[in-house]
Every structure is written in C-alpha cells, then in structure tokens.
Amino acid sequence: MTDATLVDALAGIVGARQVRVTPAERLTYARDALPTHRRVPRVAVLPANRDELVALVRLLAALEVAFVARGAGTGLSGGALADASAVLIVLTRLDRILRLDPTNRVAVVEPGVVNARLSAAAAPFGLRYGPDPSSETACTVGGNVAENAGGPHCLKYGVTTHHVLALEVILADGSVVELGSPGGEAWGPDLVGLFVGSEGTFGIATRIAVRLLPVPRAVRTLLVDFTSLRAAGEAVSAIIASGIVPAALEMMDQSCIQAVEDSVYAAGYPRDAAAVLLLDLDGPRDEAIDADGETIAELVRAHGARSVRGARDAEERERLWLGRKKAFGALGRLSRDLVVQDAVVPRSALPAVLETIATIAARYGVAVSNVFHAGDGNLHPNIAFDRRVPGLEARVEAASAEIMAACIAAGGTITGEHGVGLDKLRYMPLVFDGDSLAAMDALRRVWDPQARANPGKVIPVQACREWTQARSARFEPVERVTLGAEALGPVGAVDDSEGRG
Amino acid sequence: MSLLDRVRALLGNDAVDVAASPDGVPRVAPASPDAVALLLGTAREQGWRVRLEGAGTWMPGDAPADLALTTRRLDKIPAIEPQDLSATAEAGIGCDLLRQQLADRGTWLALDPPGLAGRSLGSVVATATAGPLRNAFGGVRDHLLGVTFVTGDGRIVQSGGRVMKNVAGYDLTKLEAGGFGAFGVIVLAHLRLRALPRADQTLVLEGPRPDLTQVAEDITAAGIEPAALELMSPALARRERWALALRFAGSAAVVAAEEAGLRAATGGRFAALRADEAHGLWMRAGESFAARPVAFRVGGLPDSSDELLDLLQHQVGDEWISASPAIGAIRWGGETTVDRLRRLRRTLAGLEVPLTLERAPWPVRSAVGHFGAYREGVGPLVAGLRRTFDPGEALVVAVEGTE
C-alpha cells in the first residue's frame, strides 16, 4: 500500500492533525534517550484514547503493517524506535488516571500517564507508586511496563513487575485480552508477569492496574563517602549481607560526583571522594530505622568510610536525591554524547568489576562515570564522548562490549532495567544459548504470530535454534522476520540514510 | 523393547530403580537436567504420556500416564551465596533440607508453602503455593531470580539468571512459576534470599472472624508491616475460635518497634507465643493442607476478604481456611465435589476473583482444571503456550477442566 493510502486510513481514525508525516515531524521520533541509535518511522500517529488506539491496531492488522508503541521516548535501549516499515504509535495522549482506590491501594491508569504524576495523585491518600526511574518526571507507566523499569527504591520495593496487578492489552491481531485480576491473582498462568518487560513485542497495554504503597512514615537519608572505589563496593556487600534492606542504596564515583557538583543540581557531595553511597532507610517507625542506621554507620566505617552524614531535614534529603536523580543529565554536560549503559552483577562482585571497568576504560582511552543501584548490583557505567571525533565512537562501542563481557563473566547479565531493545541484541547470545533464545522467540509468537509488534527487538532471531510447535488455527506458520545485518553490526551505523543532525 | 528397557538404555539402571507408583505406573528418576531432556525428547518421539512428581507429598500421583518422572534425584544445591543473598538449587531438593542448609549459612528463603516439610522446591515453584509470608514477601515468583526447565519435547531452556535485576529477554520464569508443569519440567531454580532474621516473634488473637478481619484492617491502617498476618479457621489453628496470627521477623530493634506499634494499635490484646509454640502453629497449619484431599486458592481485593470468606463458607464450608486479609489471598482445604468447585469458580469469576486448584485427586482436577473461567482472550493464549512448550502433549497436567 502507498504511504498516502496508509496516512489517509490513519487520519480517518485520529484526524489528520494527529498523523505526523513530514520528515521534520518524523525526525522528532528518530531517537530515544540513547544517542547511538536512530531510526525514522514511516509515520507517527497519536491516538487520543483507548478506542482510537484499538481501532488503529485493528487497521494495521488488516493492512499487515508493523507498529511500534512509544511513550515519552525516555527509553535507553533503542526499544521504541520504528524504521521506515513501521508505524509509530505514540501513547502520550492516553494519560488518564482511571481509578484510585485508597482502600485497596490500587490504581488503574492509561499507558501514557507519567510515572511521577501517579505518585502525586496518590499522595493525598498517603500512597505512592513504587518504581521510581530517574526519568520519573517524564517517563510513562506504559513504558515502565514494557521495559519492567526499575529505579533506586526498587532495592526494597521491587521493580515494575512486582507492582502490576492486571492489564488490558491489545494484541497485534487486534484482539483485546484481559490479564490478571484486581487482586493480583492470575487467571491461569502468570500472563501479566510474562507481559511486563516484553518491550512492546507482545502487544500494547491499554489499561494498567498497579499496586500502590504507603508513603513511609519514617525516612533517613545517609551520605557515606570513601577514598577508594573498592572500599565502597565492599561496604555495599557488607550492608546487604547484614540483613538490613535499605529502601535505596546508590553509588556514584568521583567523575560522577564532579559532574553533579558542577551542575545546577550540586548536592554538596564531597568532591574529593573516590565514591559516595547514598542510602535511604525507611519504615513505619523511627526507633527501628534509627537502630538500623547506627548498625550501617558502624559497618561502613569498618569498611573504610571516611564520613557518614545524615540528612538533617526533608530539604537536604531532597537535594541529596536530586543530585543522584539528575546525575545522567549532569553527565550530559561533560561531552556532546553520552552512552548510558546498564548491566547487573552479583553484589559481591561489585568491587572487582568496578576495577575491571576502570581498566577497560583506560585501555580504550574513554571516560567512564559510574552512577548506579549498588544494592541491586545494577551498574550504569556511562561513557561521555563526542562522536565527531574520528574513531571515538568505535572505541566507545568496543569498550561497552568488553564491559558487558566482564559483567557476564562475573555471573551477571547485560541489562537490569533498560531492556534489550536494539542496543543489547548482539549481546543476547552471550547470555542465552540457541534453545533458550528460540524459546523466547516462540513465546513471542504465541502473542504475536506475525511478529508485527515492535519487530526486530529483544531476540536476535538468527541466533535461535529451530523450534517446532504444534499447529493450530491461531498458529499459521509465518515467515521469520529477518533482521538486517545492521541490527547486529556496530551500533550507530543503523539507518543513517537521512544523515545526522 | 519395553518402555522400561528403553528408559534403562537411555538413562541407566539407576534412573528406573525406584519403586513404581501405587497404580503401577513406572517411576523414572533422572539424575541431571540432560537426562530429563533425553527422557522427554524420547517421550515426544514415542508418544509416551508423562506425569510429574517431586517428593510425592503434594499432588497425588494418580494421573493416567505411561511413566512418572520424579525429580527426587535432582537434589543438589550447587550454590549458596550469603554475600549476594542468592542460592541455586535443583528442583528435587526437599524444602526442609534446603531451609536447613540456608540457615547454616545465615540465609533464609522467605517462603512458607503449605504441605509437608519434605515437599520439593520444584513442586512449590510449579504450583506457586506461597504461605502466610506472602503478606510481606510476595508470592513464589518474587523469590525467583531464574529457572532452568525442560520443555515437553526435551529442550533445556534457561531464563533469568542469578542476579537481583534482570530484563535480558522475556521472563519465562513467570511461565514456570505456577504453570503446574504444563509448560515444562523445572529442573533448577535461582533463589532470592534474605538474611536469617535475628528476631522472629509470633502473636495470636482469637475471636469471631468478622472482628478479626476488622483488627487486621486496623493493623494495616496503623502502618504496621508484619511478615505474616494470617487469619486461620479454628480447626487449622487448633483453637476454639478463629485466630489472627501475626509474625514479625527482622532485626531485634525492628521487631521490638513493631510489637510496640501493635500494642498501641490494638491495646495489647495479642498473646505472644514461645518459639516452639509459634513453630508448631505455622507448621501444623501448613501441613493440614496436605492432609485434605482438595486445596485451592483465591485472590481478591483486600476489602473483599470478608465477603469472599462468607461465600466460601456458604458454598464449600470453611473448616480449613488460611487467609492473608491485607492482600486478599485465601487458601481453602477440605473435601468437596466437582460440581461445587465449578459453581464456586463461576461465582468468583463474576466477582473478578480467580480460583486456582492447587491439589486434588485426578478425577476432580481433570474435571475442574487447575485453571478456568478465563477472562477475555486468555484461553487462546494458554492454548498457544501449551502447544509451544509441550507440542506433543507429553506432560499430563490438568490445565483446564472438562466443563
């Protein structure tokens, strides 16, 4: 079908103003928050409500056109990018909070609701939404569901999958399915658990029921600083092994501290520290968390902490946390481009892996800053660079790949909360064998037999072993979507036909 | 060659040198994931029907099958990592042995499933049967970092890993936790642990059921966060009246503070149990469900707990009940009929409350199904998952009923 026919059909559902067709309009959606991938969608369309969304997906099913769902575009894996064969469905206008039930601590929202807005709406009832990615003031709950997003306070309270009770989902074939129940018990196998983190390849969530948490009655924030990165890593292990579960346990290295202190988010972190730990302890009672705070202070001092400082009041606590949450933004000032990486290691491996990362960075001559969820072992080694410098981007990519390999070798994995998307496709075979990848691809085809929802993401199909499954009416054999070589090639080389801005 | 000769040739004498099931179905005990894969691959080729067993203490071993695959020889604990609070255990390990070994390393799996102490880990994961600790620590899936399973046609699949956060690929672990073995045989699990609590205190209040659900509400409203907050029927608690049992677990300071909070909120009406009394209460309650022919769970909203308990009392009786009112989860045990279970499931579905059949004799579970009364669109997805992960229908599991 021609683009003009497609655009007319889309406009018939959402109105011409909400179909973005000009090159300038489409370029708006060519990237997410990771600068190394760029794809320009065939067309972008912005439905106003659930009915329009359902009608759109049904139209695309009838036309057999691929689609990609996108929230606020704050993703960090290239997961919400659509190429010239796919329609981008932007969900930011589906932003209604449909229900807030303080008695049962449940909220039902549309996918475009911004994460922090949900917490703000729940606040008058003494409640909040748990997962708090650094992009919480911009990212959407729908995107959080797709990526199984985390955040600093997921150490104690769990990531997105622990908070989603039920979903209404539209599948690629246009059918609407209801997964889970208001109380969180499944109808059969845990389809909600399967859907969360499927990166938009199983369908689009049209309604999301989430659990709300009480706002903790007592909170203490501690800032601990170290003169060695290794000591900081060892202190993290000691805290975890002690049995105290801080609400959050974050680490920033010196380069990150400097970047934050040089920015408008200066939080008063000691500039000469090799690393700082930022901890939240929370709970229902002051006495209990004060006792835990004492225990932790003793532990970190025994592991070489230079000082332990408690936030005096809510204002100081907010400032300390703002510095952490805006660290990525502050790092963005260091250089023109920033690769925000994501990997996970067993927590006891943190000290050794941090040293390995520093060695890799030195070998490739790239600047790595670490700001991460230390309590979960979830690393974010970020590399600031200027892609106009000849050869630098290739070095950044090579260093990233080696960092991934080091994390896997330490018993870890390639992503803890950002997702596979496009960026981590080539690393998947390092973690999973051909049968396991094939099982994942087969799982995807249960939901989307034609692989039209967010095609080419998550599973490197050419690395899958063949998979046989019983035939059925719903299971018409379909041809494998073959990825172009670019999906596995060097990052940054993809879809550059329209040049870089 | 007979089926057993064939299996002997494949896996060696050891694998079949175990007592046959009471119904005469030969029992095969592979000693490695590869052996499970070999067996199931052959089953697919030969058209054998295979039923699954762990220690044989929870699901009755009575499904019609050509052979019973037991995981009892998959009983190793390859890793316990106290510094990371993680462990890796094979599916056939008994929960009691696992718990002991974890405790020796200062760690704790915060799961207290119903059933006998020796119940296998694989059984707990496959049936997703969490106990009272679900109140604070979530369901079975929340304790899993990853699993390795073998599909019905003999492929070994790994999902997740042994780190705390992991979004590399689809979360197939969620399919296996609570899949009742219909989507593969779990052979290995990576577990998320807690530090062994230094203090562990149980308190009990007896009274009429509606009063106790009100007390439970007050406790939640007061911001008290017990590890368990369980409403037990008199028979289950072995008391005259219904009992509300609270368990606080953690550091001494936290437990003391929570107890003080409880006294303030409820006027000191709860009686503290000694450690041996507490152990007896929780253990006997869990074991009771293995002694009743049928057990199921339902999950509703917290504020519907009373209404759901009334409904259960009316339709199937309420002699053996254990409920976590703060999260709306209820487990029922007892004796009942296929018709009553079907009617109850339909009634509950109308209230958007799923009923999952956790154990029952084959005639009941094959007629009622572990799952049923699906919401819109769920049936085709479940069927698709079955075809994908057990294409030859080798695994005999009563996924859905025959209604």
Side-chain angles (χ1 to χ4, degrees):
Chain A
M1 94 175 321
T2 65
D3 276 7
T5 323
L6 175 65
V7 166
D8 283 349
L10 295 171
I13 296 169
V14 298
R17 274 192 59 213
Q18 303 301 339
V19 185
R20 306 289 154 83
V21 288
T22 68
E25 285 174 330
R26 289 183 294 128
L27 269 176
T28 312
Y29 302 104
R31 290 188 206 278
D32 61 10
L34 193 67
T36 42
H37 296 271
R38 178 178 183 283
R39 297 198 169 180
V40 180
R42 180 174 181 180
V43 52
V45 54
L46 288 77
N49 53 50
R50 175 190 172 277
D51 290 347
E52 286 188 6
L53 172 59
V54 169
L56 280 175
V57 174
R58 288 184 176 159
L59 170 73
L60 296 172
L63 300 175
E64 298 194 349
V65 172
F67 61 88
V68 177
R70 180 178 172 111
T74 57
L76 286 161
S77 59
L81 304 189
D83 65 15
S85 71
V87 170
L88 189 73
I89 303 179
V90 182
L91 297 166
T92 45
R93 296 173 73 209
L94 274 74
D95 63 351
R96 288 183 306 156
I97 296 173
L98 300 170
R99 195 154 65 85
L100 237 164
D101 171 358
T103 310
N104 290 303
R105 297 176 174 171
V106 171
V108 181
V109 302
E110 291 185 328
V113 168
V114 170
N115 175 302
R117 210 185 114 224
L118 175 55
S119 280
F125 306 101
L127 300 170
R128 70 199 159 103
Y129 177 56
D132 60 339
S134 291
S135 55
E136 64 191 344
T137 52
C139 66
T140 62
V141 177
N144 294 169
V145 167
E147 301 299 314
N148 191 12
H153 291 79
C154 293
L155 175 59
K156 180 170 178 180
Y157 294 103
V159 294
T160 301
T161 191
H162 299 109
H163 300 270
V164 179
L165 300 166
L167 296 165
E168 181 193 74
V169 170
I170 180 154
L171 303 181
D173 68 2
S175 56
V176 174
V177 300
E178 287 181 47
L179 314 177
S181 67
E185 179 73 23
W187 303 95
D190 183 7
L191 300 178
V192 171
L194 285 174
F195 187 89
V196 175
S198 59
E199 303 196 20
T201 61
F202 289 3
I204 301 176
T206 50
R207 269 191 211 130
I208 303 163
V210 296
R211 179 177 287 131
L212 300 173
L213 300 173
V215 174
R217 296 180 183 212
V219 185
R220 298 286 182 278
T221 299
L222 299 178
L223 182 72
V224 186
D225 79 276
F226 293 84
T227 53
S228 115
L229 198 57
R230 174 168 267 276
E234 287 167 354
V236 169
S237 260
I239 293 168
I240 295 303
S242 78
I244 296 170
V245 183
L249 174 48
E250 301 284 303
M251 195 195 291
M252 282 170 275
D253 70 4
Q254 186 166 45
S255 145
C256 181
I257 294 167
Q258 303 278 9
V260 172
E261 291 304 309
D262 286 339
S263 75
V264 293
Y265 306 114
Y269 306 146
R271 282 176 173 271
D272 61 338
V276 295
L277 295 181
L278 187 61
L279 278 105
D280 259 3
L281 292 166
D282 72 15
R285 257 152 272 287
D286 288 312
E287 316 85 276
I289 61 170
D290 283 340
D292 282 351
E294 286 301 314
T295 308
I296 284 180
E298 282 169 32
L299 264 177
V300 295
R301 286 204 179 94
H303 282 83
R306 185 172 62 175
S307 73
V308 182
R309 184 175 121 202
R312 283 177 302 272
D313 49 30
E315 198 184 324
E316 186 177 5
R317 183 162 67 236
E318 210 163 289
R319 198 158 53 90
L320 288 172
W321 272 107
L322 194 64
R324 162 61 189 89
K325 292 243 170 182
K326 300 295 184 184
F328 294 114
L331 287 168
R333 298 170 64 251
L334 293 182
S335 201
R336 193 173 170 278
D337 300 293
L338 179 74
V339 172
V340 177
Q341 268 303 354
D342 177 36
V344 197
V345 296
R347 296 172 281 204
S348 60
L350 274 177
V353 168
L354 288 170
E355 284 183 354
T356 306
I357 290 173
T359 311
I360 292 168
R363 184 144 31 85
Y364 285 95
V366 296
V368 175
S369 310
N370 289 291
V371 44
F372 62 98
H373 313 307
D376 289 317
N378 187 185
L379 296 161
H380 295 312
N382 305 312
I383 308 178
F385 70 105
D386 183 342
R387 85 174 93 201
R388 292 169 306 188
V389 176
L392 184 53
E393 189 164 358
R395 293 213 305 277
V396 168
E397 277 312 315
S400 288
E402 244 186 76
I403 290 171
M404 287 301 133
C407 291
I408 295 166
T413 194
I414 55 173
T415 172
E417 55 184 13
H418 294 175
V420 175
L422 287 172
D423 194 51
K424 297 288 172 70
L425 270 177
R426 65 209 145 124
Y427 303 131
M428 285 290 279
L430 303 181
V431 186
F432 297 107
D433 61 20
D435 270 339
S436 301
L437 290 173
M440 290 183 192
D441 188 53
L443 172 66
R444 186 263 181 77
R445 285 169 191 279
V446 171
W447 299 77
D448 176 16
Q450 293 180 302
R452 277 192 305 105
N454 208 2
K457 311 286 169 62
V458 188
I459 306 298
V461 288
Q462 68 278 45
C464 297
R465 266 188 64 187
E466 201 177 325
W467 190 276
T468 47
Q469 57 197 5
R471 301 268 296 273
S472 84
R474 199 190 163 93
F475 253 90
E476 288 310 315
V478 278
E479 267 181 53
R480 279 246 154 105
V481 174
T482 45
L483 285 179
E486 75 276 8
L488 286 187
V491 173
V494 293
D495 187 29
D496 202 24
S497 52
E498 296 186 34
R500 289 204 164 106
Chain B
M1 210 177 345
S2 76
L3 186 152
L4 272 184
D5 290 340
R6 184 83 205 242
V7 174
R8 273 197 190 91
L10 274 178
L11 307 180
N13 279 330
D14 289 359
V16 285
D17 199 16
V18 286
S21 311
D23 61 358
V25 171
R27 217 180 237 148
V28 180
S32 69
D34 285 338
V36 174
L38 198 56
L39 181 68
L40 289 177
T42 308
R44 168 82 206 270
E45 283 165 17
Q46 302 291 322
W48 298 339
R49 293 166 309 149
V50 179
R51 73 182 184 218
L52 306 176
E53 286 181 21
T57 61
W58 181 255
M59 199 68 75
D62 57 359
D66 299 305
L67 61 89
L69 190 171
T70 168
T71 56
R72 65 181 59 176
R73 287 173 78 208
L74 296 168
D75 59 354
K76 291 185 279 299
I77 305 177
I80 299 174
E81 308 286 354
Q83 295 296 311
D84 292 321
L85 291 179
S86 69
T88 300
E90 289 186 337
I93 184 83
C95 286
D96 50 348
L97 285 172
L98 176 63
R99 186 170 295 119
Q100 187 52 53
Q101 295 218 20
L102 293 175
D104 289 347
R105 308 289 302 277
T107 60
W108 182 46
L109 179 63
L111 257 179
D112 53 353
L116 304 183
R119 196 178 162 199
S120 73
L121 175 67
S123 164
V124 173
V125 174
T127 57
T129 37
L133 288 171
R134 65 195 159 200
N135 187 61
F137 301 108
V140 171
R141 63 175 222 161
D142 298 331
H143 301 271
L144 296 172
L145 303 173
V147 296
T148 301
F149 63 95
V150 181
T151 61
D153 58 346
R155 288 166 180 251
I156 299 178
V157 175
Q158 292 162 4
S159 80
R162 56 191 184 92
V163 286
M164 293 303 128
K165 282 163 85 177
N166 196 339
V167 293
Y170 303 131
D171 194 358
L172 281 162
T173 305
K174 299 290 194 293
L175 178 65
E176 298 304 314
F180 287 88
F183 313 102
V185 182
I186 300 159
V187 291
L188 183 87
H190 300 292
L191 303 167
R192 178 186 185 160
L193 307 177
R194 262 93 185 161
L196 195 63
R198 309 256 158 98
D200 190 338
Q201 179 65 56
T202 295
L203 303 103
V204 175
L205 175 66
E206 282 184 50
R209 176 165 62 77
D211 291 2
L212 296 181
T213 48
Q214 184 58 50
V215 173
E217 263 177 52
D218 296 344
I219 286 169
T220 303
I224 295 164
E225 298 170 359
L229 175 60
E230 197 73 2
L231 185 64
M232 298 179 184
S233 62
L236 194 77
R238 301 195 185 188
R239 289 175 182 250
E240 294 292 309
R241 295 183 293 170
W242 283 71
L244 184 63
L246 261 85
R247 185 171 172 188
F248 294 120
S251 67
V254 168
V255 171
E258 290 281 28
E259 278 197 75
L262 178 69
R263 269 194 303 278
T266 61
R269 288 192 286 156
F270 278 82
L273 301 192
R274 292 193 318 269
D276 60 322
E277 292 172 331
H279 179 74
L281 172 76
W282 295 115
M283 179 122 138
R284 279 197 308 269
E287 285 178 351
S288 295
F289 289 102
R292 313 270 90 73
V294 175
F296 63 76
R297 64 173 176 264
V298 301
L301 286 167
D303 74 352
S304 67
S305 290
D306 254 332
E307 184 192 351
L308 292 178
L309 288 168
D310 288 344
L311 182 70
L312 292 181
Q313 181 191 19
H314 181 67
Q315 293 209 7
V316 287
D318 64 352
E319 196 180 357
W320 303 95
I321 295 255
S322 192
S324 306
I327 57 167
I330 301 173
R331 172 165 291 116
W332 182 96
E335 209 164 342
T336 187
T337 64
V338 167
D339 285 346
R340 280 173 190 272
L341 283 169
R342 284 176 170 163
R343 195 177 60 196
L344 177 64
R345 179 178 269 158
R346 276 197 301 271
T347 311
L348 289 167
L351 303 169
E352 288 194 78
V353 174
L355 181 156
T356 302
L357 187 63
E358 294 184 327
R359 73 186 293 268
W362 177 257
V364 175
R365 66 182 194 275
S366 59
V368 177
H370 294 295
F371 309 133
Y374 293 143
R375 305 300 282 186
E376 187 182 348
V378 170
L381 286 172
V382 177
L385 291 167
R386 272 290 275 167
R387 283 193 299 271
T388 299
F389 293 96
D390 183 19
E393 295 186 37
L395 305 170
V396 184
V397 180
V399 181
E400 290 144 16
T402 51
E403 194 175 18

